[in-house]
Every structure is written in C-alpha cells, then in structure tokens.
Amino acid sequence: MAQRMTRRGPLTRAEIVRQALVVAETEGMEKLSLHKIAAAVGVRTMSLYNHVDDKADVLDAMADVILSGIRIPEVDEMAWEDGLRALARSFRAAALEYPRSASLVLTRRLNAPAAMPVVEAALRFLNRAGLEGDDAVHVLRAFIAFLIGTLSREVGFAPTYAGAIPGVITMREQELVDSGLPSSRSALAAAAAELAVIDHEAEMEFGLELLLDAVRRRAAALS
C-alpha cells in the first residue's frame, strides 16, 4: 500500500525526533519504525533520510532529547552532597518524563553529547568532596550503575516486586513465604512483607544516601 502524504511545510530533524518520541510513548519502543515516524510527520519514509541517517540516528537523537531534560545544578553554589542528590533526582525525573523511551538512556547513550554536562558536574562535585582522578571516575561509574539499575526496574525493564493491589501484594508475599526454604531460618520468608512491595522513589533515596556515605568514607580515607 502506498504511503499517504499529508504534510504541508518544511520538515525538520527536530520534528522527526519529537514525533518519534510521541510514537514510542504511545505504542512502545518495540513498535517504533521509520515508517511510523514518517506517517506521523506526513511524509514518505525516504524523505526522512534528508534529515536523519537511519533509525539508529533517530534513537540517538531521542536519547539526547531525554538527557537534555536533566537540570544541571550550579556546582559552586551547592554542597557536593546536595549537588549529587540534585543530579540523581533530575536524572530520574528526565527518564520518567518518557517512561517507554527511557531504555535509550539507560542502555544506549551514556556517552551522548547531552550527557557530558551531567558528567562534568558530577565529577566537579566529587572533586569538591575530595575525590580526584581514578577515585572520582570509579565513584561516578558506581553512581551511574546504581541509577541505571534503579530506573530500569522502575520503568519496567527489569524484574520488580512492585504491587499496588492488595490482593496481588498478599499473593506475592505468600509466594515468598512458600519459597521452599525452611521458614525457621529463611531470611527471605522473614522479609516477605517488605519484598512484596516497593516504593521506587524511596528505594532510590535510600541507595543514594548509602552511596553518599561511601563517598564521605572514601574521601576521609584519602585525606
């Protein structure tokens, strides 16, 4: 079937990327295609190649849009702990703005141009905490790994024990209790009520504070 064109006016790369995000958020990343993007902007698929190289180029540009939503705090105006908290929270907010497209920044584009200001700010905060060189880079990577894992679970790309329906929570808790381990010495059964539910924001904040405490201890050990 011939592709119907309904477009009026010039097409831009920015519009292609914007509509790609709309399609992904509406139908899911697995159904995103150049054909669907072209239909959304009202042109034939081949017309997209005047503005983008291929689908991979579109995906990278989508990731840049998501990453550009991260607000960078003023490094010289905040304590390093508050600055790292602000970066982590802003990263989460930017990813959740596009939950069905968030996998692009969680698994694909940590070296994206839009991520470089975030990395720069994070390293400067770590420098102010007393970490330099390899130590700062290792800690930065630990923060990134933590955020990716936490957000992957939250947006649905990794297993989670989340549940908002009481019946589902009860069922999950019972499954954990009935895991087959001796209940008298099963740590899993003892923690079943907590494992059956999850507050994603609270989990991120808890892990974030653990990391910040580790930074303090590492900096103190190096001083």
Side-chain angles (χ1 to χ4, degrees):
M1 180 180 296
Q3 204 170 356
R4 180 180 299 174
M5 294 189 299
T6 60
R7 178 165 193 86
R8 295 180 180 178
L11 180 63
T12 65
R13 178 182 174 88
E15 183 180 357
I16 292 171
V17 176
R18 184 168 60 251
Q19 287 301 319
L21 284 165
V22 171
V23 172
E25 291 303 306
T26 302
E27 302 185 33
M29 281 296 302
E30 69 281 0
K31 294 186 178 179
L32 182 67
S33 68
L34 291 181
H35 179 82
K36 288 193 173 184
I37 297 170
V41 297
V43 300
R44 297 185 187 280
T45 302
M46 290 303 297
S47 297
L48 297 181
Y49 291 102
N50 294 322
H51 306 277
V52 299
D53 295 335
D54 48 27
K55 183 178 177 181
D57 186 25
V58 175
L59 295 177
D60 285 345
M62 291 166 65
D64 281 343
V65 169
I66 298 171
L67 286 166
S68 67
I70 300 175
R71 299 180 61 182
I72 310 297
E74 292 292 336
V75 177
D76 297 329
E77 297 180 6
M78 301 180 72
W80 68 264
E81 297 100 327
D82 291 337
L84 290 175
R85 289 188 187 99
L87 279 175
R89 291 164 183 166
S90 187
F91 185 90
R92 175 175 181 265
L96 296 183
E97 186 74 18
Y98 301 94
R100 301 185 78 176
S101 306
S103 60
L104 294 174
V105 296
L106 300 180
T107 63
R108 181 184 181 89
R109 289 282 285 172
L110 288 178
N111 63 337
M116 293 303 98
V118 183
V119 173
E120 169 70 14
L123 287 173
R124 288 180 64 192
F125 281 127
L126 290 171
N127 292 162
R128 291 183 60 194
L131 300 180
E132 303 281 348
D134 289 350
D135 285 292
V137 171
H138 292 325
V139 171
L140 172 64
R141 288 173 177 160
F143 267 90
I144 291 172
F146 163 70
L147 288 172
I148 287 175
T150 301
L151 287 168
S152 292
R153 179 175 58 190
E154 183 166 5
V155 299
F157 295 102
T160 176
Y161 295 133
I165 304 173
V168 174
I169 297 173
T170 301
M171 180 178 66
R172 177 58 185 164
E173 182 177 346
Q174 192 59 47
E175 288 174 351
L176 292 166
V177 172
D178 297 338
S179 61
L181 297 173
S183 59
S184 61
R185 58 185 178 87
S186 172
L188 189 151
E194 289 73 27
L195 288 171
V197 295
I198 186 169
D199 180 330
H200 292 293
E201 183 175 3
E203 291 294 319
M204 193 201 79
E205 293 292 333
F206 185 88
L208 181 57
E209 293 305 316
L210 285 180
L211 283 171
L212 292 175
D213 189 48
V215 171
R216 295 186 193 96
R217 293 198 305 272
R218 181 67 176 178
L222 293 173
S223 62

